[in-house]
Amino acid sequence: MRYRLILILTSILMSISASSAFAAEGLEDGESLDIILFCCNDGLGVDSGDENDDKQRGERMPQQPIVCSISKDSGITIKNNFDISEISSFEIWNQNTCIASFIDQKDFIDMIFSLKGEYQLIFRFKNYLLSGYISF
């Protein structure tokens, strides 16, 4: 059941990628890049087998978008009181493949500002992840 939910969430995120991807042409040092993130279950939890389990936890409502700013000077800022220090990995995905994963925020930011194309960014926390799309 959780695997199916993850596939559905991934499909939803992919379908809204056009509206949540921001162009970042010609960014210079000191400029920031704003993206929209959505919170998802990380899929590593234990499946209880109860089909109503997700409904009982209140995951039926559309998710609120979360604004994230990425800057070479000031790092990553995520609104809504997310603690950046709790992120276990910063990932860059190209379609269905993780092309880079970082523990260090600075290395992740350096890579982001060197990319061209469309990518999915994933910030992994202990029990959930934040995911969004960006286009350079």
Side-chain angles (χ1 to χ4, degrees):
M1 176 65 186
R2 290 192 194 279
Y3 180 73
R4 188 172 10 156
L5 177 62
I6 291 169
L7 290 176
I8 291 169
L9 287 172
T10 302
S11 297
I12 291 170
L13 288 173
M14 301 273 288
S15 69
I16 60 173
S17 67
S19 64
S20 63
F22 290 88
E25 299 286 335
L27 285 176
E28 298 177 10
D29 287 349
E31 290 189 71
S32 69
L33 175 66
D34 292 332
I35 64 170
I36 300 294
L37 300 173
F38 292 92
C39 188
C40 301
N41 182 335
D42 69 359
L44 299 176
V46 177
D47 189 355
S48 68
D50 183 357
E51 290 184 20
N52 293 319
D53 187 41
D54 294 329
K55 294 178 186 169
Q56 292 168 356
R57 289 185 285 136
E59 295 180 339
R60 294 171 286 174
M61 296 296 295
Q63 295 181 7
Q64 290 282 61
I66 300 161
V67 177
C68 172
S69 295
I70 302 173
S71 167
K72 280 191 172 185
D73 292 338
S74 46
I76 297 173
T77 305
I78 303 176
K79 306 235 188 247
N80 302 355
N81 299 320
F82 286 94
D83 186 357
I84 301 300
S85 68
E86 293 180 6
I87 297 175
S88 60
S89 71
F90 303 88
E91 299 175 4
I92 302 170
W93 288 69
N94 184 356
Q95 295 180 9
N96 294 327
T97 306
C98 181
I99 60 169
S101 180
F102 302 92
I103 295 173
D104 182 58
Q105 180 182 160
K106 183 181 178 338
D107 292 338
F108 170 77
I109 292 171
D110 289 343
M111 177 81 165
I112 288 295
F113 282 92
S114 70
L115 294 174
K116 300 288 183 214
E118 186 172 317
Y119 299 92
Q120 180 182 18
L121 304 181
I122 296 177
F123 301 146
R124 290 195 186 274
F125 290 78
K126 183 177 179 180
N127 296 317
Y128 61 93
L129 58 87
L130 297 177
S131 174
Y133 290 86
I134 193 148
S135 180
F136 297 95

